[in-house]
Amino acid sequence: MAVTRSTEGTSSLSAAAAEISKRELVRYILRTQASERAMARAERVLPLGVASSFQFYEPHPLVMQSASGSRMRDLDEHEYVDFTLGYGALFTGHSHPTLCRLVTEQLARGTLFVSPCEDNTLVAEMLVERFGLPQWRFTNSGTEATMDAIRVARGVTGRPRIVKVEGGYHGHHDSVLVSTKPSAEDAGPATQPVPVPATEGLSPSVLAETIVIPFNDLTALERVLAPRDVACFIVEPVMENIGICLPDPGYLEGVRELTRRFGTLLLFDEVKTGITAGWSGAAGHFGIAPDLIALGKSIGGGLPLAAFGGSSECMDAVVTGRVLHVGTYNGNPLCMAAARAVLGEICTREETTRVIECNRRFAADCHAALVVRGMPAHVAQFGAKGCVTWSVSPVRNFRDYIATDFDLAFAQWIWGVNRGVLLPPGLDEQWLMSVAHTDDDLAFALDVFTRFLDTVVDPSRIDDDDD
Ligand SMILES: Cc1ncc(COP(=O)(O)O)c(C=O)c1O
């Protein structure tokens, strides 16, 4: 959905964006006083006042009190049409009635057995049917799912190294906290990126064992796999932590062929794509069969559930005990009840298709609004997700992403928040459309977006009473 337009005038638009952001930040502070007070209290006992550093943003995050369907309400009693949806975890929307019913029924029957329950099998069978891989294990977060899948890959191949993509985020375990968002100064040459730690506290061995390559670059992949010491290539089939970055035609097929040729296992991280990409995930959408898949977020409908699945060869390592996979809360009956609701009753094949079709139309409407105003931006859309990317050309990798206009992206975000449309605060995220979003929600969001675009074109239009 790229807009073909020269970049002439971009800097004047960025200046307009900076002006809008300045005024909107003042407005934000004035309308979110209860959030500010709550954060001041929280900061005394929680680093940054939050439970995950991703939840913090300047000047202070919105503090929420409740959510239902497509809406969230903050402490200042502002209601938002929520497109953040738990960073893409709530394809069902908030507190879907069916999910609430099944989880409530389970609450009365026990929350933790630490013994098998029949729902473990039922949910695993649903994942087999959707994703094609024959065996699954449950975890509590996407982080654990990618961590355990990588351990399986190392155990099965006996190889120490892994390959990941620059700009890819796969959770907060050490092996993958490399080059998630490196600064341009540290990142090295575009075709041969330098592995950059994403945090202090990593062992130096991590940097030696995690190789970083650009997305959409088969030559780089072949180069790093050729020594035959790589256990797995972990990759999102569609990168969803730099907006939405689609694979070039033939890229995933090339990845599959190269990984097979060099005896490296292919691990699709579908924590974000998963069932929001289509009934059988991105793997099914593109018709590629990886050796391992990590899932999370949307399969749990807001409860902490994730999973990894693997080929028989991979999962035999768990069966024989060569690779240990354990966890007190794994497969707990409460999360299983939620997954039964999500996979079995709410996000059916038909409903998934309906929501994705609806998202396609919404993305096309947003794109048309950009085109009509000659904006140097485009809409990227995949499955039930979408984002406005402030560049003329589509983003093919991390280096393209960091060249997009973050002034415009921030102005668009804060403009929306002040008018009741909540997009993810991390500008690298994307919107998610849920089964709960209504035509009215979408018309409202489109109106707020087009008013933003009109104000970028003519900043004198800013109206303080506009709410
Ligand atoms: C692609 C991807 N993989 C893994 C994870 C880690 O999931 P979690 O935050 O549940 O640990 C994330 C989280 O955003 C993600 O985006």
Side-chain angles (χ1 to χ4, degrees):
M1 282 200 172
V3 181
T4 46
R5 179 192 190 274
S6 89
T7 51
E8 240 172 71
T10 304
S11 59
S12 72
L13 296 182
S14 302
E19 185 56 31
I20 292 169
S21 295
K22 208 163 95 192
R23 297 185 62 160
E24 292 296 323
L25 272 167
V26 173
R27 188 178 185 137
Y28 179 92
I29 290 165
L30 291 175
R31 73 197 293 278
T32 60
Q33 302 271 291
S35 284
E36 186 174 13
R37 282 193 299 276
M39 286 307 297
R41 178 177 172 191
E43 276 164 22
R44 287 190 219 121
V45 289
L46 293 157
L48 295 172
V50 291
S52 155
S53 294
F54 283 152
Q55 292 172 12
F56 180 79
Y57 50 87
E58 300 280 4
H60 55 259
L62 296 172
V63 180
M64 296 299 170
Q65 56 163 303
S66 63
S68 174
S70 61
R71 307 283 172 131
M72 280 214 288
R73 182 173 289 276
D74 71 11
L75 286 187
D76 291 272
E77 303 293 349
H78 301 301
E79 193 173 76
Y80 301 87
V81 178
D82 184 16
F83 289 95
T84 301
L85 292 171
Y87 291 136
L90 293 162
F91 193 30
T92 56
H94 293 277
S95 301
H96 190 287
T98 305
L99 184 136
C100 290
R101 179 170 53 78
L102 296 196
V103 170
T104 308
E105 284 169 10
Q106 186 58 49
L107 266 175
R109 292 201 305 263
T111 56
L112 186 63
F113 302 147
V114 200
S115 279
C117 61
E118 286 182 303
D119 276 356
N120 294 155
T121 309
L122 207 77
V123 176
E125 283 170 354
M126 291 180 193
L127 296 178
V128 172
E129 192 190 353
R130 285 180 180 245
F131 291 91
L133 290 170
Q135 289 212 308
W136 291 81
R137 272 287 176 92
F138 299 109
T139 67
N140 309 288
S141 67
T143 294
E144 286 174 62
T146 62
M147 179 182 74
D148 288 321
I150 287 172
R151 184 176 299 132
V152 165
R154 284 183 164 137
V156 168
T157 60
R159 298 175 174 184
R161 308 184 90 182
I162 65 165
V163 174
K164 76 175 283 290
V165 156
E166 188 178 42
Y169 179 74
H170 302 291
H172 59 276
H173 58 96
D174 289 4
S175 291
V176 289
L177 278 179
V178 178
S179 294
T180 53
K181 292 276 182 311
S183 70
E185 303 83 68
D186 294 338
T191 52
Q192 218 159 328
V194 173
V196 180
T199 174
E200 293 192 10
L202 298 183
S203 153
S205 66
V206 168
L207 293 180
E209 288 176 350
T210 300
I211 304 167
V212 178
I213 58 169
F215 193 59
N216 274 326
D217 186 340
L218 291 172
T219 308
L221 182 63
E222 182 165 5
R223 186 185 68 240
V224 299
L225 296 190
R228 295 179 185 268
D229 62 354
V230 174
C232 69
F233 177 37
I234 178 168
V235 63
E236 289 183 270
V238 174
M239 288 184 76
E240 293 195 345
N241 282 291
I242 53 170
I244 293 180
C245 176
L246 292 161
D248 289 347
Y251 175 66
L252 294 176
E253 288 78 1
V255 164
R256 183 62 283 190
E257 193 278 313
L258 285 173
T259 46
R260 276 216 180 95
R261 193 194 313 163
F262 293 110
T264 293
L265 296 173
L266 177 57
L267 163 52
F268 272 0
D269 180 349
E270 292 226 42
V271 169
K272 286 196 90 174
T273 50
I275 62 169
T276 71
W279 194 78
S280 52
H285 175 89
F286 291 108
I288 305 290
D291 303 292
L292 291 153
I293 295 181
L295 296 174
K297 296 194 190 268
S298 51
I299 61 167
L303 274 80
L305 175 65
F308 68 97
S311 63
S312 305
E313 183 204 3
C314 289
M315 298 310 247
D316 275 356
V318 180
V319 174
T320 58
R322 283 193 294 131
V323 173
L324 187 64
H325 174 249
V326 291
T328 301
Y329 291 104
N330 290 2
N332 70 81
L334 213 54
C335 291
M336 292 296 105
R340 215 164 15 90
V342 173
L343 298 169
E345 300 203 24
I346 305 168
C347 303
T348 58
R349 212 185 267 274
E350 298 70 33
E351 189 61 354
T352 301
T353 305
R354 181 191 70 76
V355 178
I356 289 176
E357 217 18 76
C358 191
N359 189 43
R360 223 174 253 137
R361 284 197 302 275
F362 180 64
D365 287 346
C366 292
H367 188 70
L370 292 166
V371 172
V372 125
R373 292 162 182 82
M375 288 285 166
H378 64 279
V379 171
Q381 178 257 329
F382 182 63
K385 295 187 171 184
C387 64
V388 173
T389 298
W390 291 93
S391 66
V392 175
S393 312
V395 163
R396 288 186 60 249
N397 54 40
F398 177 68
R399 303 299 169 108
D400 288 351
Y401 164 75
I402 54 176
T404 63
D405 192 319
F406 290 94
D407 290 335
L408 280 159
F410 180 79
Q412 180 202 337
W413 174 75
I414 192 143
W415 174 278
V417 172
N418 283 341
R419 287 159 185 80
V421 175
L422 192 61
L423 292 167
L427 304 177
D428 50 358
E429 291 271 335
Q430 56 292 129
W431 77 64
L432 171 65
M433 188 164 303
S434 76
V435 304
H437 280 84
T438 63
D439 288 347
D440 283 351
D441 290 335
L442 303 184
F444 174 65
L446 184 63
D447 177 59
V448 168
F449 179 55
T450 53
R451 279 193 288 141
F452 167 70
L453 297 181
D454 288 338
T455 308
V456 171
V457 173
D458 177 6
S460 68
R461 290 171 63 111
I462 289 186
D463 175 2
D464 284 337
D465 296 328
D466 171 23
D467 216 348

